[in-house]
Amino acid sequence: MILVCGEALIDLFVRLTGGPEMSTHAVAGGSPFNVAVGLARLGVRTAFLSGISRDHFGAFLADRLAREGVDGRFLVRTDRPSPISIVATADDGQPNYTFHGEGAADRSLLLAHLPGTLPDDIQALTFGSYSMAVEPVGTTFAALAQREHGRRVISVDPNVRSTVVGDMKSWAVAAERFYRTATMIKASDEDVRLAWGGRFSIADAAAYWQKCGARLVVVTEGAKGATAFSAAGSVSVPGRSVAVRDTVGAGDTFHAALLAQLAKTGRLHPDAIAALDQAAIRELLTYGMAAAAVTVSRDGADLPTTADIDGSTQPCLTE
C-alpha cells in the first residue's frame, strides 16, 4: 500500500463565453488527491491522509475517493470549509490557478491527528504541493516524513504553487524538510525555475536533491521529455507531439505511474530504488510518459487505468 499525504480540493474550471456569464465546471482535485486516484486506477492499493471538510464539497471528495477504491481510514473530518481552486484554462491548454484556501480543511491537520504507527503493509508515503508549506499541516506532514524516513520510501513532488505559498524563501525552508527525507523526488522544469528563481539548471537542482539524500530524481520538461538522475547516472527519454486537450493532472499522472511501476516490479523499497540501473530507469520514465499521454488527451485530471496505458500508443507532454 502507498499512503498519499496532502490536499484534496475542488477544482472550479472557468471559461469565458463572450457573454455576461462564465461557464463553470466543478470537479475533485488537488495534486496529492490526483496521485491517490491515479495509483488506485493503476491497481495499487492506496490510502489518503488529509483533512476533509464535513461540508457538501468534502462529502463529495470523500465519496469520490471511496468510489475510486482509495482507503479512507486516515481521513480527518473537520468543520472547516473545503478549499477551492479556480482554474482558468488558456487557449493553449495551460491552466492558470487561483486558490481560496485560507483556514480550510486541508490546512488544519495537526500532529495529534497522525496515526501513532502505520500498518506494516504501507511501503511508501508521498508528499507534495502547497500542503508541504502552509501551516499547521506542513509541520505535521514534515514530522511524519521524518518519522518514517529510512523505514519506507518517501516520494516528494514539490509542485510549486507560488500563488498559494507566497514568500518563496519560506517555501524553500519548508520544502527542505521534505527533501532531506526523500527517497525519490519528481519535479517539473517549472518547479525548478520557480523554486530557485531561474538561478538553478535542472542538473543543479538534481545535484542539490541528491545531496539532500534522494536516491532518484526525475524532472519532466513538457514536450522535451524527462530526465532521471541517480547513482547510475542520468537517463533522458525524449518527448513527442500529442494532441493536448489540457495539461491538468499530467505531472500527477507521471508521479503516480512511477510509483505504480516501482510497486508492480517489486522495487518500492529505498535500497531497490538506489540500485536501479539505466535500463530500468528508462523503462520507468517511458511508462510514466505513456500514462501522462492519456491524461493530456482528456479534459481535466482524468487519470488513466492500466488498460488505458496498454491501449495507448501516444507519447506525452508532462507539466
Side-chain angles (χ1 to χ4, degrees), residues 132 157-162 165-176 179 185 187-201 204-206 208-209:
M132 297 196 307
D157 177 1
N159 204 0
V160 180
R161 294 287 181 254
S162 56
V165 300
D167 178 28
M168 291 304 295
K169 290 183 179 179
S170 297
W171 157 262
V173 172
E176 186 161 333
Y179 299 153
I185 294 177
S188 69
D189 55 347
E190 181 183 14
D191 292 329
V192 172
R193 179 180 60 79
L194 291 173
W196 286 283
R199 299 187 306 276
F200 270 30
S201 68
D204 292 335
Y208 162 70
W209 284 324

Side-chain angles (χ1 to χ4, degrees), residues 105-162:
D106 60 328
R107 303 186 184 207
S108 64
L109 211 63
L110 302 172
L111 290 170
H113 293 133
L114 293 178
T117 58
L118 294 178
D120 291 340
D121 61 348
I122 292 179
Q123 295 179 283
L125 295 86
T126 79
F127 301 91
S129 194
Y130 67 82
S131 56
M132 297 196 307
V134 297
E135 296 297 345
V137 65
T139 292
T140 300
F141 281 154
L144 179 61
Q146 290 158 7
R147 189 186 84 186
E148 301 301 324
H149 171 58
R151 292 192 278 182
R152 312 170 203 265
V153 169
I154 305 292
S155 185
V156 175
D157 177 1
N159 204 0
V160 180
R161 294 287 181 254
S162 56

Side-chain angles (χ1 to χ4, degrees), residues 83-101:
I84 297 176
S85 170
I86 309 297
V87 186
T89 305
D91 291 340
D92 63 359
Q94 292 294 327
N96 185 296
Y97 299 89
T98 304
F99 287 88
H100 299 268

Side-chain angles (χ1 to χ4, degrees), residues 266-310:
R267 293 174 170 133
L268 196 60
H269 185 277
D271 292 339
I273 292 174
L276 290 171
D277 61 21
Q278 291 199 357
I281 292 172
R282 185 170 287 105
E283 290 178 4
L284 197 63
L285 298 182
T286 300
Y287 187 76
M289 295 177 71
V294 179
T295 298
V296 300
S297 69
R298 300 169 170 177
D299 289 324
D302 185 2
L303 282 71
T305 64
T306 301
D308 291 330
I309 297 171
D310 292 343

